[in-house]
Amino acid sequence: MSVLPIRVLGDPVLRQETLPVAAVTDDIRRLIDDMFETMYAAQGIGLAAPQVGRTERLCVVDVDGAVYALVNPEVVLAEGPKEKAEEGCLSIPDVYGDVERPSRVTVRGLDRNGQPVEVTADGLLGRCLQHEIDHLHGKLFIDYLSFLKRRSALAKWDEEKDQYPEFIRHIKPGARASEHPEEEL
Ligand code: K2U
Ligand code: ZN
């Protein structure tokens, strides 16, 4: 398994529509495994294929131990009151904004074995699923911000983006926050 470089805002791959996966092959399973490795190393709770430069329609999530690899996922039901919460994105580091989303979604797709899977979730898992599925259609959380908040977010990104030549963010393998920082000497 490999930790892959993450594509950041400005890379056109983040704005492309992904392609449905025709069959869940060993190559797709390898990509899924690499995406989990990359997500954990980046201390994320979700990751979509375009964020590692791939156009397959798939994402991975791990929210408090609720772990899913979803191939060709789609939201089949969005319900409940809209809820606003702060979001970030591994592809737009250090930029945050409040996003309003339906509080509960039902998502259908295929798992890593090509078997149908259906997830109904609210809370952080529900939000993460919506964030990741947006990625698969070229949509980013900043698109939901008001004009002024998006302008402010993009101004901040303008200050940060020079750290990522060619829109590539390199992640150190195994770069998890230590549980015992006092030991990090
Ligand atoms: O797709 C991504 O960029 C990973 C996102 C997933 C996410 C964004 C907003 C709300 C929920 C999930 C995050 O950057 S992962 C970082 C993170 C970690 C803990 C809680 C929220 C976000
Ligand atoms: Zn994101």
Side-chain angles (χ1 to χ4, degrees), residues 75 101-103 105 125-135:
V75 175
R101 297 188 188 270
S103 53
V105 288
L125 178 57
R127 178 169 295 271
C128 183
L129 289 169
Q130 293 176 78
H131 180 109
E132 302 312 330
I133 291 171
D134 273 351
H135 270 299

Side-chain angles (χ1 to χ4, degrees), residues 43-47 51 87-91 124 127-128 131-132 135:
Q43 299 173 39
I45 57 173
L47 193 69
Q51 294 183 277
E87 297 194 13
C89 183
L90 296 176
S91 293
L124 187 56
R127 178 169 295 271
C128 183
H131 180 109
E132 302 312 330
H135 270 299

Side-chain angles (χ1 to χ4, degrees), residues 13 44 65 76 80 85 149:
V13 73
V76 295
K149 290 191 174 171

Side-chain angles (χ1 to χ4, degrees), residues 3 43 45 63 100 119 126 141-142 144-145 154 157 184:
V3 174
Q43 299 173 39
I45 57 173
V63 179
E100 196 170 73
V119 186
F141 84 90
I142 56 172
Y144 293 94
L145 304 181
L154 292 175
W157 176 244
E184 276 186 344

Side-chain angles (χ1 to χ4, degrees), residues 7 12 28 35 45 55 62 68-70 73 79 86 100 104 113 115 118 121 128 133 156 159 161 165 174 176 180 183:
R7 305 299 178 90
I28 293 292
M35 286 174 60
I45 57 173
T55 57
D62 180 347
Y68 294 96
L70 294 170
E79 53 190 339
E86 185 177 68
E100 196 170 73
R104 184 184 176 89
N113 300 314
Q115 295 306 304
E118 181 174 294
C128 183
I133 291 171
K156 178 158 191 216
E159 294 166 9
K161 66 184 182 186
R176 274 178 175 275
H180 307 286
E183 293 170 1

